[in-house]
């Protein structure tokens, strides 16, 4: 496994749309492992492949609970319920945090790393993470939707 370079604010790739994954091969498995390692290295809750410069519809999420890292390939949000104001950050925007509106619950469909199509019903932080990462696949970042006046700069080291 390897830590990949993060693409940061200002990098044009972050506004590009990612492509569907068609084949789950060894190369994709390596990409997934590297994404998980990179997310953990920077203590992120989620990472989309575009954030390491790969325009594929792959996201990883880890809430650091007993479920371990989740891998979602070609995720699609089928349903959302409710809306609330949440604090958000992004590994591509180090030290920037702001409030955004996110659904309270989502139902999403995705392919797991074994190629099986799965469905997940998520709420709160997991729902937020899925929405944030799926936005990345569409070339959208949380800074595009922050609530006015809520941007904060926090030094983390
Ligand atoms: Ni992000």
């Amino acid at each position: 496994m390897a830590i990949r370079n993060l693409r940061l604010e200002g990098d044009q790739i972050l506004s590009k749309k990612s492509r569907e994954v068609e084949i789950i091969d060894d190369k994709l498995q390596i990409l997934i492992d590297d994404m998980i390692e990179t997310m953990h290295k920077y203590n992120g809750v989620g990472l989309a492949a575009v954030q390491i410069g790969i325009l594929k519809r792959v996201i990883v999420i880890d809430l650091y609970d007993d479920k371990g890292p989740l891998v979602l390939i070609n995720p699609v949000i089928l349903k959302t319920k409710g809306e609330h104001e949440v604090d958000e950050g992004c590994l591509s925007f180090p030290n920037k945090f702001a409030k955004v509106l996110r659904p309270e619950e989502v139902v999403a469909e995705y392919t797991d790393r074994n190629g099986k199509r799965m469905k997940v019903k998520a709420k709160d932080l997991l729902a937020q993470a899925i929405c944030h990462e799926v936005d990345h696949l569409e070339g959208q970042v949380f800074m595009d939707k922050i609530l006015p006046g809520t941007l904060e700069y926090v030094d983390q080291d």
Side-chain angles (χ1 to χ4, degrees), residues 3 12 16 20 23 28 30 32 34 43 55 70-71 73-74 80 90 106 109 120 123 128 131 135 137 141 143 145:
I3 303 213
Q12 293 303 307
K16 293 197 171 141
E20 294 271 319
I23 306 163
L28 193 83
I30 291 167
I32 290 165
D34 287 355
N43 302 313
L55 287 168
L70 280 170
V71 177
I73 300 165
N74 299 334
T80 68
C90 176
V106 302
E109 204 177 69
V120 61
K123 55 180 190 168
Q128 181 185 354
C131 292
D135 279 354
L137 304 183
V141 294
M143 290 290 286
K145 48 178 70 174

Side-chain angles (χ1 to χ4, degrees), residues 108-138:
E109 204 177 69
Y110 63 97
T111 301
D112 72 9
R113 64 188 302 174
N114 301 312
K116 197 172 166 208
R117 201 69 184 158
M118 312 282 282
K119 208 181 242 190
V120 61
K121 191 174 176 187
K123 55 180 190 168
D124 302 325
L125 185 57
L126 182 57
Q128 181 185 354
I130 291 172
C131 292
H132 177 112
E133 302 310 330
V134 169
D135 279 354
H136 273 301
L137 304 183
E138 294 301 314

Side-chain angles (χ1 to χ4, degrees), residues 30 38 59 74-75 92 97 102 116 148:
I30 291 167
T38 304
I59 66 181
N74 299 334
S92 294
F97 297 88
R102 292 290 185 194
K116 197 172 166 208

